[in-house]
């Protein structure tokens, strides 16, 4: 597999040369794609150089009988080789994208809405730890401070390394999240079970999805707050229906129709991109997608058990007893188990084809 890096080095030089051409930047999509590919190749080549250097240093240390240095390098060389192998595994084309995250309260009434708010805070803190920005695009709050539904954009700063962009990590969060705890509204101290649904979409850009204005029906209405009360005296909320697909998106958080329309269009583009990708995957004759990535979005994916401080992921079997830390954003180990399962599936697919 490492022999393929030599061809990547040539591609890296070609991409660098193209990015130096001012004419390239007149095409936003091409410039964006080249920039992402350049960052991906740069990261791979850097690790490849480190691996080569470590191998040479190991040979020298062994020849000079530098036992301590040789032992350290004997651990470093295979670690770098494993890291490089992981970087060379073909990735989901959307892995470099930002994310549109939708969370909806499910069964459980007020408690599920409060849990939806907990999930939003969990993902927001996880994003902060990774240097990402979270922007709430639309939300419907409840009287107790939870969310019937909330939609947020999660954006990285700059160009992340392969596997470190928001979608590459958060795409595994889609599905039904179940919570077991004593609700704040429970006077008898009984444990209740409720759920919230999470939908993760790669954020589409204008160049990703072409939308015909004639395919849209746009309605305006008055924004409402907790309990349905009116919070605006003007019809500033916007509902957009994409007629060919029947997809409906509404936004009411902003003060003007124009702002709400812009936010709704961001969500609509991402939903259309996701639908197109799902259709392409279904139609591909040789598509082999991992169990993690094809999990039905209606399926229960994770349980948060507060009395036992336990979190369990039902796809990988991951379980830990630090729920208090996880709900505060310490998601790396949980998501890491899903990344590993996905990687194992991709490697297995490569071996089958090889």
């Amino acid at each position: 597999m490492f022999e393929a890096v030599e061809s990547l080095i040539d591609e890296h030089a070609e991409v660098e040369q193209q990015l130096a051409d001012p004419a390239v930047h007149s095409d936003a999509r091409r410039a964006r794609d080249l920039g992402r590919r350049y960052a991906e190749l740069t990261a791979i080549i850097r690790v490849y150089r480190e691996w080569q250097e470590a191998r040479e240093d190991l040979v020298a240390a062994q020849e000079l009988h530098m036992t301590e240095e040789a032992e350290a390098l004997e651990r470093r060389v295979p670690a770098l080789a494993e890291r490089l192998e992981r970087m060379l595994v073909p990735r989901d084309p959307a892995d470099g994208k930002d994310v549109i995250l939708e969370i909806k309260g499910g069964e459980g009434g007020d408690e599920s809405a409060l849990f939806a708010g907990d999930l939003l805070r969990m993902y927001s803190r996880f994003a902060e730890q990774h240097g990402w920005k979270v922007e709430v695009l639309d939300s419907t709050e409840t009287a107790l401070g939870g969310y019937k539904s909330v939609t947020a954009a999660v954006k990285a700063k700059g160009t992340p390394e392969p596997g470190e962009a928001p979608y590459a990590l958060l795409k595994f969060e889609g599905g039904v999240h179940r919570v077991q705890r004593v609700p704040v509204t429970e006077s008898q101290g009984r444990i209740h079970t409720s759920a919230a649904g999470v939908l993760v979409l790669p954020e589409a850009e204008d160049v990703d999805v072409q939308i015909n204005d004639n395919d849209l029906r746009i309605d305006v209405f008055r924004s409402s707050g907790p309990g349905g009360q009116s919070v605006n005296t003007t019809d500033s909320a916007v509902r957009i229906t994409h007629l060919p697909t029947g997809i409906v998106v509404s936004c009411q958080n902003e003060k003007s129709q124009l702002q709400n329309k812009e936010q709704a269009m961001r969500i609509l583009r991402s939903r259309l991109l996701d639908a197109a990708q799902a259709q392409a995957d279904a139609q591909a004759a040789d598509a082999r997608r991992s169990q993690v990535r094809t999990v039905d979005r209606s399926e229960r994916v994770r349980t948060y058990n507060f009395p036992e401080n336990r979190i369990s992921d039902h796809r990988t079997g991951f379980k830990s007893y630090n729920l208090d830390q996880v709900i505060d954003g310490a998601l790396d180990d949980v998501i890491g188990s899903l990344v590993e399962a996905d990687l194992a599936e991709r490697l297995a697919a490569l071996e089958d084809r090889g």
Side-chain angles (χ1 to χ4, degrees), residues 103-121 140-150 179 181 194-196:
I103 307 172
K104 296 180 182 294
E107 297 178 2
D110 285 334
E111 167 62 6
S112 68
L114 289 170
F115 180 51
D118 291 338
L119 290 177
L120 177 63
R121 285 188 292 275
T140 303
E141 297 185 46
T142 64
L144 293 180
Y147 291 99
K148 290 182 180 178
S149 66
V150 57
V179 62
R181 64 184 177 187
S194 59

Side-chain angles (χ1 to χ4, degrees), residues 164-288:
E164 296 298 324
Y167 188 71
L169 297 178
L170 291 177
K171 65 181 178 181
F172 302 107
E173 294 302 296
V176 175
H177 295 239
R178 185 177 68 168
V179 62
Q180 296 171 325
R181 64 184 177 187
V182 179
V184 294
T185 55
E186 170 58 56
S187 59
Q188 302 298 319
R190 293 172 296 186
I191 297 173
H192 288 223
T193 297
S194 59
V198 176
L199 178 63
V200 182
L201 307 173
E203 178 162 13
E205 300 177 44
D206 290 341
V207 292
D208 290 325
V209 177
Q210 297 298 319
I211 300 177
N212 189 328
D213 289 343
N214 294 327
D215 290 338
L216 301 179
R217 186 178 72 231
I218 300 177
D219 302 306
V220 295
F221 57 98
R222 192 159 298 177
S223 301
S224 63
Q229 73 265 30
S230 175
V231 295
N232 270 339
T233 56
T234 59
D235 293 337
S236 61
V238 173
R239 181 186 300 109
I240 300 178
T241 303
H242 186 249
L243 299 176
T245 62
I247 294 175
V248 180
V249 178
S250 27
C251 277
Q252 63 174 15
N253 274 33
E254 304 298 336
K255 295 182 179 180
S256 74
Q257 280 186 23
L258 180 59
Q259 291 173 313
N260 281 319
K261 180 182 177 183
E262 290 174 350
Q263 303 290 44
M265 287 298 294
R266 288 177 67 181
I267 300 169
L268 176 62
R269 279 194 294 269
S270 296
R271 287 192 184 176
L272 289 173
L273 176 63
D274 183 66
Q277 290 176 336
Q279 183 178 19
D281 288 335
Q283 292 175 346
D286 61 347
R288 174 169 180 169

Side-chain angles (χ1 to χ4, degrees), residues 2 50-58 72-83:
F2 294 170
E50 290 177 8
W51 173 70
Q52 285 183 316
E53 184 178 344
R55 289 179 68 201
E56 294 169 359
D57 290 345
L58 175 58
L73 287 164
E74 284 172 354
R75 294 189 295 271
R76 178 170 169 75
V77 169
L80 286 169
E82 180 181 357
R83 183 181 175 192

